[in-house]
Amino acid sequence: MSTHASIDVPAVPASLDTVQDTFAAWWDGQGIDDPTLRFRLETALVEVAANVIEHTRRSDPHEGRRFVLDLTAHDTELVAVLSDNGMPVDIDLGAVTMADPEDEGGRGLALAIAALDRLEHHHEGGRNVWVLVCDR
């Protein structure tokens, strides 16, 4: 059983396909027959990755924007960690709300929070770190 997968990709829209392909291969190696759990974690992962791709900024625009995705299965939880090399982001996850139906965006983090058992964000080693957790 594959319990861990990791990728390091540029923070560009095409990397969402790589994130989804990596997630699918990792998930298939878990032997978990729970489509709801898969949908919850995958939805949240894609939403957070899309936010990283869209909003990550570097102080030096000539340095490439990148992020690392680590997927790990534990006995009691499934964990996805995204860490990007962008400038620190200050966000209060407790203040995130769903956008109005007329708005074109602004739902990603609210969807992720709703789908997950836990979403955390912190700064570590000059990186923004997003921890996504679904209990098993």
Side-chain angles (χ1 to χ4, degrees), residues 35-114:
T36 301
L37 182 59
R38 177 183 178 150
F39 180 78
R40 290 174 50 215
L41 185 56
E42 188 171 18
T43 297
L45 175 59
V46 169
E47 291 296 340
V48 173
N51 273 355
V52 167
I53 289 166
E54 182 177 349
H55 299 293
T56 297
R57 300 290 174 257
R58 300 280 297 166
S59 58
D60 180 348
H62 299 292
E63 293 181 20
R65 297 177 314 125
R66 299 191 69 79
F67 67 93
V68 173
L69 167 63
D70 287 303
L71 297 163
T72 307
H74 301 283
D75 290 340
T76 59
E77 61 189 14
L78 302 175
V79 181
V81 178
L82 281 158
S83 61
D84 68 67
N85 65 351
M87 294 186 300
V89 174
D90 260 338
I91 187 157
D92 179 0
L93 293 174
V96 172
T97 58
M98 187 63 75
D100 289 328
E102 307 83 45
D103 294 342
E104 290 187 25
R107 290 177 187 78
L109 286 180
L111 286 171
I113 290 168

